[in-house]
Amino acid sequence: MDRVYGKIRNLKYRLLPKGSGTLFPIGTTMYEEWVIREALHNCIAHQDYRLQGRITIVEKPNELILTNLGSFIPMDVEKFIESDAPPERYRNRLLSDAMVNLNMIDTIGGGIKKMFNEQRKRFFPLPDYDVSDSQKVQVRLHGQIIDENYSRLLMENLDLDLKTVILLDKVQKKHVIGREDAQVLRRKNLVEGRYPSLFVSKTVARITGKKSDYTKNKGLDNEYYKNLIVKFIEQHRQASRKEIDELLWTKLPEILTEKQKVNKVNNLLAVLSRKKVIFNAGTDNNPSWKIKT
């Protein structure tokens, strides 16, 4: 194991702190040595040796991917962490017991949760477990910060429970979370956005100094968009749909898809039309919007 670990690049971060706080302790490495060893030893302890395969370690510029053969017996990683208890059965019980006694792995059942907590304490992304393949378990360890907002949030809020941190980690990685989980984060003012495309909320943006990113994702007030449309038509006497799209497109929230932006403009025009502020002097296929006099 020492020879394997010796082949892994584990560079040090030496970044200056920003503002009054510090994001990285001096000499922070890409990977926590204990986390690498725990992940690797877990691969050995839980490999299904009947499949006669091998444990693989793939090193990429900013991540490690460790894979062992055999299903993940607890089935769900997050539920396993929440239960905070050893699994009811083991694939290689004698091997696991021996490795625990030799201090090669943490107490059976507690290693994965400790890996998550170690990454959290370093303000790094949490490990990604892929257990979708019934014949394989894959864990990805990140060696760099993905979203500085997430890291600064952890630094400023050390009392966040692990479940909340796991959900925020998914948000920063652009993973879709459940609606109920999204509501939990929203109630805590940690996220905003139209589900399932969530982003850091204004409350967190104020802490992290990412107000511009928030505005890009949140967008501007509907009245602002409607006023732009009206002023544009007043200046040019009329406006086609293409011209209105060109006017608003870059100002709409970046979090919206192309289709959602089209619907957004449709709704703005519909509201102005219902209020008899503007009217379509053209056709449905080739609209020409003018001010209602």
Side-chain angles (χ1 to χ4, degrees):
M1 296 305 100
D2 289 337
R3 290 197 300 271
V4 172
Y5 178 73
K7 292 179 180 293
I8 297 172
R9 291 184 320 129
N10 198 9
L11 305 178
K12 286 187 176 181
Y13 283 106
R14 296 194 180 280
L15 302 181
L16 294 176
K18 295 182 179 181
S20 58
T22 176
L23 181 57
F24 299 101
I26 295 175
T28 293
T29 54
M30 293 177 67
Y31 309 104
E32 168 61 43
E33 180 178 348
W34 183 91
V35 173
I36 293 178
R37 292 182 182 275
E38 180 70 13
L40 183 53
H41 290 163
N42 278 342
C43 288
I44 297 171
H46 304 300
Q47 169 93 337
D48 189 340
Y49 293 98
R50 297 171 300 179
L51 299 176
Q52 299 183 15
R54 64 174 64 199
I55 294 166
T56 62
I57 306 172
V58 177
E59 180 182 13
K60 296 189 176 183
N62 295 300
E63 63 184 19
L64 289 177
I65 304 172
L66 298 90
T67 305
N68 69 277
L69 298 183
S71 62
F72 187 72
I73 294 178
M75 300 304 292
D76 189 293
V77 175
E78 291 178 36
K79 289 182 180 179
F80 177 58
I81 292 174
E82 289 178 15
S83 68
D84 202 19
E88 295 180 353
R89 66 185 182 90
Y90 305 88
R91 179 173 290 115
N92 308 309
R93 182 57 187 260
L94 293 178
L95 176 59
S96 298
D97 286 344
M99 294 179 73
V100 168
N101 292 334
L102 291 171
N103 295 319
M104 292 181 69
I105 59 176
D106 203 359
T107 303
I108 295 178
I112 293 179
K113 183 175 182 179
K114 186 174 179 181
M115 287 170 61
F116 275 64
N117 278 320
E118 287 296 322
Q119 290 295 93
R120 170 193 180 181
K121 286 190 292 186
R122 301 174 71 234
F123 317 124
F124 266 59
L126 304 181
D128 289 324
Y129 272 82
D130 183 355
V131 297
S132 59
D133 189 335
S134 62
Q135 297 287 306
K136 182 172 64 178
V137 176
Q138 183 179 94
V139 59
R140 187 184 306 269
L141 303 179
H142 297 270
Q144 69 172 6
I145 298 297
I146 294 176
D147 183 352
E148 191 172 313
N149 286 357
Y150 164 85
S151 300
R152 289 192 177 277
L153 173 61
L154 297 191
M155 183 179 63
E156 297 287 342
N157 297 269
L158 300 177
D159 58 344
L160 287 176
D161 61 272
L162 184 56
K163 182 176 181 180
T164 299
V165 174
I166 290 174
L167 292 176
L168 286 171
D169 182 65
K170 290 182 179 180
V171 171
Q172 76 157 341
K173 294 171 181 172
K174 307 301 181 184
H175 295 169
V176 177
I177 64 176
R179 288 185 179 274
E180 292 184 3
D181 291 332
Q183 291 173 0
V184 169
L185 294 181
R186 202 183 298 277
R187 284 196 294 268
K188 295 180 180 180
N189 295 320
L190 296 176
V191 298
E192 286 192 20
R194 182 179 300 177
Y195 183 85
S197 300
L198 301 176
F199 57 90
V200 178
S201 74
K202 187 174 182 179
T203 302
V204 178
R206 187 171 61 250
I207 295 173
T208 62
K210 291 292 183 179
K211 295 179 182 178
S212 61
D213 287 346
Y214 170 80
T215 302
K216 290 177 183 177
N217 287 319
K218 176 67 175 176
L220 301 166
D221 187 85
N222 282 342
E223 291 302 316
Y224 171 82
Y225 297 124
K226 287 187 285 188
N227 287 336
L228 275 182
I229 295 172
V230 172
K231 288 180 180 179
F232 184 85
I233 298 175
E234 285 177 341
Q235 290 175 356
H236 301 280
R237 296 188 178 182
Q238 64 179 24
S240 67
R241 175 55 190 265
K242 181 180 179 181
E243 290 171 330
I244 292 175
D245 285 344
E246 291 174 350
L247 172 70
L248 300 181
W249 216 251
T250 59
K251 300 176 179 63
L252 292 171
E254 291 185 356
I255 203 72
L256 297 181
T257 64
E258 294 291 304
K259 183 177 180 181
Q260 288 172 334
K261 286 184 177 182
V262 170
N263 291 335
K264 177 80 171 179
V265 177
N266 285 342
N267 292 336
L268 292 169
L269 293 173
V271 170
L272 289 172
S273 179
R274 284 198 302 270
K275 291 184 177 180
K276 301 187 183 303
V277 177
I278 62 175
F279 72 100
N280 181 12
T283 64
D284 291 340
N285 293 329
N286 188 24
S288 176
W289 295 99
K290 295 184 176 182
I291 299 296
K292 186 79 172 181
T293 57

